[in-house]
Amino acid sequence: MADGCLWKGIDSAVYQALLTRKYLTRKIMPMLAMVAVMLSVATILVTWSVMGGFLKTLIESGRTLVGDVSVVWPNVGFGYYDELIEDLEADPMVAAATPSIETFGLIQLPDDRIELVSIKGVEPGSYSDVTGFADTLWWKPIEEPTPKDRKREDLRLDDQNRALMEQVFANGLAMQRESPDSGEVEPAGVLGVEVTGLNYRTKWGGYEPWSANRARPDGGVDRVDSFMPRDGSVGLTVLSLDSEGRPIDPKRLTMPIANEFQSGIYEVDQRTILVPLGVLQRNLRMDAAQRVELVKDDENPFAVEVDPNTGEIRPKMKEIVGEDPARVTAVLIKAADGVTPEKLQERVREIYAVFAARHKGEVPSAFDMERQVKTWKDLNRTMISAVEKETGLVLFIFGIVSFTTVFLVLAIFWSMASEKTKDIGILRALGASTGGIAWLWIRYGAAIGLVGAALGTAVGYLIVRDINAIHDWIGETTGLVIWDPQQYYFIEIPSDVDPSKALIVFVVGVLTCVLGALLPAWHSARMDPVKALRFE
Amino acid sequence: MSTATSAQVETETRASDSSLILSVRDVRKTYKLGRVKVPVLHGVDLDVRRGEWVTILGASGSGKSTLLHLMGGLDRPDKVEGRRGSLVFEGDELTKQSKRALDRYRADDIGFVFQFYHLLPELSVLQNVCVGSMILHGRLGYMRHRAETQKRAGELLERFGLGHRLKHRPAELSGGERQRVAIARALINGPSLLLADEPTGNLDLKTGASILDAMIEYRERAGLTMVMVTHDERIAERADRVIRLEDGRVVEEPPRAG
Ligand SMILES: Nc1ncnc2c1ncn2[C@@H]1O[C@H](COP(=O)(O)OP(=O)(O)OP(=O)(O)O)[C@@H](O)[C@H]1O
Ligand SMILES: [Mg+2]
């Protein structure tokens, strides 16, 4: 027949609703299809939520120690930053700003290992205002155990350690420590908690200081107590650059450790040390200094003198004494409430332009700085794009999983539609149109999809909400630990369901069923009614 | 060309004969099973007048059900040498109708009683009877006709002695009861032509007779035209007219006295 197109003839009628209801409640097959849809929807929602939550936590951790927006001028840095910070803090879009120096250097650990580290010079007070620094300090007194620490093994909980923890926490916040020998208070650094490798990561995701062995040249071994904040120190070697950016001489300094931090990003915690800004400025020769310049003396152009360095005769020179301002490589800025990093970035550029105009020739121009004003997202671009790739991969795998479900549903519907061939013949004989029959099955698919996907979403939501409890229960009853805080950097499995994700998974679940029903619907609708009636 | 014109003329003359409700001319049907052809109808001619009760007799396999399906628009006659034969219902050529028009024809103009009940097993007796009306009226239409349809279904089932079994499902009914449900279903939309394929074939004599009585009574009251296939000579005797299918053609029995 010419009119093979069945979609233009879809009729909606009461018999479809009636039969959909009856077929749904009277047969085991739709139950199976529904369970299949439910399970795949729940699985996808759980995986997506956990994976997404994990990635989100990771990305958010990237923000912890860098503020919302940074003005970055690497290596040589820029001066008059105090003025810039004042200008910034006067703006209502800025909550706080703090100077910082970022450089690389070598660290010598208590067991004499030498590693490359990222060294950040910060002013502890204002750094805390701009970043989550205070919260990342690990050694501090705590009242409640961390989530997996059932047996309260965390030594930070212990009342005996309380005084020590309080002291160490205060030291960390101020970045200073009393010298065990002289009793003098001296500037101290804060180490990433994984740097020394001497903090043993416990089963419940905390840390216990571990003592280390140091090999002696005579073949013996020294025990090294490794609770760094008490009396540990590290050796740092930094390379200062002159104002042209050329390396001058390496400087070695001994840095007592005040506390250790955990930012949530392993790469950061494993190779970063924070030191007081002043210490780093001094050692990098970025502090304020008198500048002495020799210029030709114009008073008497013919006067000469002997150059004290070379012993040669030269035109008479005179000294001009100037001030080289202290420099930093970055100013970190925290946005006021409700201001997005992108908006703040724009504003900071404007503020910088005004500042640069005032110090023409003394600080990088506004034009040069345009691209050096970065949001925390820009700074973590590589990590974020890796995370985005992973999310893409996960979604791709979901696509394949959903596709399998389409076939599963198709197989189940096909067998149901064949089983109901005679019914279709009867309905056709009573005048039902091909479109009407097709609609019957599509409706049916949609109904199964709606119920299955709704149940699946609900089950998925409940699983994600209680995933840590479920995980613990599985661990207790079967000994199977899937998410091991000792291995993973996050102690708990992320347990938030993003409503928009839930909605997407639900809709895709329903569509899957409708898609699975299309082929049987088309087949059933096209069937010759007389043959269908003869079907046994 | 000349054949087409004469066929058209003939169609028009038949159409003008308002006493005819259905007119079948030169209808052929051959089933193909792979390469094997099973010729069933070789040019059937048959006129059914309004209000008439025609009975079709014939041996098993002679094509009675096939003919009924063709008359009911469930199937189409074969095209042989460019001619399809013709089936004219109330002046409309069925072989030229669109699929949708045929759907409409089946839903509205005719009632079909199958040889093997063919009830929908998931639906109750009442729902099985109402299904025809649901199909005919569409979603909104049925909402309006619902009460009326259910009342009419109740009345029909009452008349066939099933008034107390509306909520039962077909599996809970005897063969005779199922057939009566099937007949009520065929009549729900008030068709003008009832096509019944051995409605009493699977039943014992007494049950068969009582069902037939109910149908006859309804037919007389509603002025229904009825084409009924049967094996049973005694049923045939009660009809207005009896035709016989032999070798794929219609052989008319001489009208009997009485
Ligand atoms: N779909 C089909 N494919 C092939 N052959 C068919 C098909 N349908 C019917 N036939 C054949 O056509 C012939 C006529 O069948 P039909 O059902 O019309 O006979 P009938 O007169 O109704 O028989 P009965 O009295 O047993 O019901 C039979 O020989 C049957 O085998
Ligand atoms: Mg038959």
Side-chain angles (χ1 to χ4, degrees):
Chain A
M1 294 223 67
D3 88 295
C5 173
L6 84 221
W7 308 123
K8 71 178 176 200
I10 283 200
D11 323 280
S12 169
V14 177
Y15 74 92
Q16 293 147 347
L18 183 63
L19 283 171
T20 303
R21 214 165 58 231
K22 296 288 176 183
Y23 289 175
L24 278 178
T25 48
R26 300 256 187 269
K27 294 280 162 194
I28 189 86
M29 280 298 207
M31 289 298 163
L32 291 180
M34 235 181 265
V35 170
V37 175
M38 185 188 91
L39 287 180
S40 57
V41 162
T43 314
I44 290 176
L45 186 58
V46 170
T47 324
W48 198 10
S49 295
V50 170
M51 186 76 188
F54 169 73
L55 299 177
K56 195 173 144 205
T57 319
L58 190 68
I59 289 181
E60 284 295 322
S61 304
R63 185 181 200 161
T64 322
L65 290 180
V66 297
D68 296 313
V69 170
S70 309
V71 179
V72 186
W73 194 258
N75 306 330
V76 291
F78 58 96
Y80 309 106
Y81 59 86
D82 285 337
E83 262 181 56
L84 177 62
I85 287 171
E86 248 176 64
D87 292 353
L88 286 165
E89 287 186 339
D91 193 274
M93 284 172 83
V94 174
T98 184
S100 142
I101 293 179
E102 284 183 42
T103 185
F104 282 92
L106 295 177
I107 186 167
Q108 186 170 21
L109 299 171
D111 57 355
D112 283 350
R113 275 180 302 130
I114 293 182
E115 312 237 337
L116 182 69
V117 279
S118 157
I119 304 171
K120 280 192 182 192
V122 296
E123 274 178 1
S126 59
Y127 188 57
S128 276
D129 295 340
V130 173
T131 67
F133 169 64
D135 293 332
T136 65
L137 286 176
W138 181 265
W139 304 111
K140 61 192 162 201
I142 56 174
E143 308 299 331
E144 289 300 314
T146 47
K148 300 273 161 163
D149 183 16
R150 297 283 139 62
K151 295 182 198 144
R152 302 179 69 96
E153 284 171 354
D154 200 329
L155 50 84
R156 297 177 296 168
L157 285 166
D158 198 336
D159 276 340
Q160 280 188 322
N161 295 331
R162 199 169 178 95
L164 174 64
M165 286 299 149
E166 266 163 10
Q167 180 61 52
V168 161
F169 186 44
N171 287 352
L173 287 174
M175 292 180 83
Q176 61 188 25
R177 199 181 76 182
E178 204 172 292
S179 160
D181 307 323
S182 65
E184 269 177 54
V185 171
E186 47 190 11
V190 174
L191 263 182
V193 74
E194 301 273 355
V195 175
T196 57
L198 298 175
N199 289 316
Y200 170 73
R201 187 148 170 99
T202 61
K203 280 199 171 44
W204 40 268
Y207 291 97
E208 262 168 30
W210 205 238
S211 51
N213 292 334
R214 179 161 54 193
R216 280 197 316 252
D218 63 7
V221 169
D222 288 335
R223 295 283 284 172
V224 185
D225 182 14
S226 71
F227 185 58
M228 299 297 287
R230 182 160 44 215
D231 51 6
S233 58
V234 295
L236 284 181
T237 307
V238 293
L239 207 55
S240 56
L241 305 174
D242 67 12
S243 53
E244 313 281 271
R246 283 182 301 251
I248 316 172
D249 53 336
K251 273 267 181 113
R252 192 178 184 287
L253 61 146
T254 301
M255 196 81 243
I257 297 304
N259 206 322
E260 290 173 301
F261 72 86
Q262 193 200 35
S263 72
I265 296 194
Y266 185 79
E267 282 65 33
V268 171
D269 297 350
Q270 192 236 338
R271 38 179 276 144
T272 306
I273 179 169
L274 305 175
V275 299
L277 183 70
V279 172
L280 201 54
Q281 276 178 325
R282 259 192 313 286
N283 285 283
L284 291 174
R285 302 198 182 182
M286 291 175 85
D287 49 348
Q290 280 205 333
R291 181 183 51 199
V292 182
E293 251 180 277
L294 289 173
V295 293
K296 233 172 108 187
D297 193 346
D298 309 328
E299 274 170 38
N300 180 358
F302 303 108
V304 289
E305 63 178 9
V306 176
D307 185 335
N309 295 329
T310 60
E312 285 168 11
I313 304 287
R314 63 174 188 198
K316 188 166 180 348
M317 307 292 262
K318 76 174 180 197
E319 284 185 347
I320 299 175
V321 178
E323 178 86 353
D324 252 345
R327 286 168 290 140
V328 293
T329 62
V331 168
L332 315 183
I333 304 146
K334 180 185 177 150
D337 282 347
V339 178
T340 65
E342 289 72 23
K343 269 196 215 153
L344 180 62
Q345 184 184 29
E346 276 315 300
R347 185 71 195 121
V348 168
R349 283 184 179 140
E350 289 163 21
I351 294 171
Y352 187 85
V354 175
F355 164 74
R358 205 161 57 227
H359 288 282
K360 214 167 175 139
E362 294 172 320
V363 298
S365 73
F367 177 78
D368 291 332
M369 198 54 106
E370 180 80 14
R371 269 186 296 154
Q372 294 298 112
V373 177
K374 296 175 178 185
T375 65
W376 67 274
K377 287 178 193 159
D378 299 331
L379 290 173
N380 289 299
R381 187 54 67 205
T382 30
M383 183 184 81
I384 291 177
S385 63
V387 163
E388 277 166 358
K389 289 252 160 55
E390 278 174 65
T391 315
L393 186 69
V394 169
L395 283 177
F396 176 70
I397 293 168
F398 288 165
I400 294 174
V401 173
S402 322
F403 213 65
T404 331
T405 318
V406 171
F407 277 95
L408 191 68
V409 170
L410 191 143
I412 293 175
F413 279 9
W414 189 276
S415 85
M416 282 193 296
S418 326
E419 191 191 321
K420 288 285 159 211
T421 299
K422 186 167 248 164
D423 288 19
I424 300 308
I426 297 167
L427 291 168
R428 295 281 282 120
L430 296 178
S433 65
T434 51
I437 298 297
W439 186 234
L440 169 64
W441 290 115
I442 293 169
R443 247 191 90 99
Y444 190 45
I448 287 182
L450 279 172
V451 178
L455 287 175
T457 310
V459 169
Y461 169 76
L462 291 179
I463 290 180
V464 174
R465 199 190 60 180
D466 295 331
I467 192 151
N468 285 295
I470 295 171
H471 181 259
D472 289 349
W473 179 79
I474 292 175
E476 276 159 28
T477 47
T478 67
L480 188 72
V481 179
I482 306 156
W483 187 283
D484 184 354
Q486 210 168 359
Q487 314 283 316
Y488 285 94
Y489 216 56
F490 304 120
I491 296 172
E492 293 222 279
I493 306 172
S495 56
D496 280 334
V497 177
D498 182 349
S500 65
K501 276 181 196 158
L503 185 70
I504 291 173
V505 173
F506 172 78
V507 170
V508 169
V510 177
L511 287 183
T512 301
C513 276
V514 173
L515 207 64
L518 281 184
L519 194 62
W522 180 74
H523 177 77
S524 195
R526 281 194 22 147
M527 208 157 37
D528 177 1
V530 177
K531 277 199 190 127
L533 280 174
R534 285 180 188 269
F535 180 85
E536 291 303 321
Chain B
M1 204 55 196
S2 59
T3 42
T5 322
S6 68
Q8 206 178 340
V9 171
E10 199 193 355
T11 306
E12 272 160 16
T13 46
R14 275 188 289 147
S16 61
D17 185 349
S18 58
S19 68
L20 285 185
I21 185 166
L22 181 68
S23 165
V24 180
R25 282 290 174 282
D26 197 25
V27 157
R28 291 154 193 274
K29 188 80 193 173
T30 299
Y31 289 108
K32 291 184 197 73
L33 285 170
R35 288 175 175 258
V36 187
K37 291 186 174 178
V38 186
V40 181
L41 302 177
H42 304 282
V44 169
D45 297 313
L46 172 65
D47 285 327
V48 181
R49 273 180 285 280
R50 206 178 295 279
E52 193 180 24
W53 172 11
V54 179
T55 295
I56 303 176
L57 286 172
S60 183
S62 58
K64 305 180 296 291
S65 297
T66 303
L67 178 59
L68 225 54
H69 289 152
L70 290 169
M71 288 161 67
L74 267 176
D75 209 350
R76 285 175 188 259
D78 290 344
K79 219 176 196 170
V80 181
E81 288 153 17
R83 289 187 301 152
R84 201 188 268 287
S86 104
L87 285 146
V88 175
F89 176 83
E90 303 264 34
D92 293 327
E93 177 56 67
L94 293 182
T95 56
K96 294 197 176 111
Q97 302 272 317
S98 71
K99 255 186 168 177
R100 283 189 80 79
L102 281 183
D103 292 337
R104 180 92 198 165
Y105 166 65
R106 285 201 299 277
D108 205 2
D109 296 320
I110 62 162
F112 222 112
V113 181
F114 304 98
Q115 196 167 355
F116 307 102
Y117 325 132
H118 287 334
L119 299 176
L120 296 166
E122 272 88 3
L123 302 190
S124 71
V125 164
L126 185 66
Q127 287 165 333
N128 258 292
V129 173
C130 292
V131 117
S133 171
M134 297 178 191
I135 290 173
L136 176 65
H137 291 116
R139 173 168 296 279
L140 294 176
Y142 184 71
M143 294 302 175
R144 263 182 274 120
H145 287 87
R146 185 192 207 111
E148 184 193 320
T149 301
Q150 287 188 348
K151 185 159 161 273
R152 181 172 162 78
E155 282 167 9
L156 281 167
L157 286 165
E158 189 71 48
R159 182 161 323 141
F160 292 124
L162 286 171
H164 55 297
R165 323 249 350 218
L166 303 185
K167 292 261 151 62
H168 290 229
R169 266 184 290 125
E172 295 155 356
L173 302 182
S174 73
E177 286 162 342
R178 287 183 210 183
Q179 193 62 299
R180 280 178 273 168
V181 176
I183 295 166
R185 176 179 67 186
L187 298 174
I188 188 72
N189 288 336
S192 43
L193 173 62
L194 183 73
L195 303 172
D197 196 349
E198 298 196 41
T200 58
N202 301 302
L203 306 173
D204 63 275
L205 261 180
K206 223 179 119 207
T207 319
S210 76
I211 288 179
L212 199 65
D213 287 340
M215 285 174 81
I216 291 167
E217 191 242 330
Y218 178 88
R219 184 180 89 86
E220 277 164 2
R221 231 165 36 87
L224 181 70
T225 311
M226 196 152 81
V227 176
M228 186 185 288
V229 167
T230 183
H231 276 127
D232 194 334
E233 301 273 352
R234 269 165 304 181
I235 293 176
E237 272 171 20
R238 299 173 69 174
D240 297 336
R241 192 153 64 97
V242 179
I243 61 154
R244 216 170 257 285
L245 264 186
E246 266 169 34
D247 301 326
R249 288 201 168 79
V250 167
V251 180
E252 194 107 13
E253 298 253 308
R256 270 162 286 207

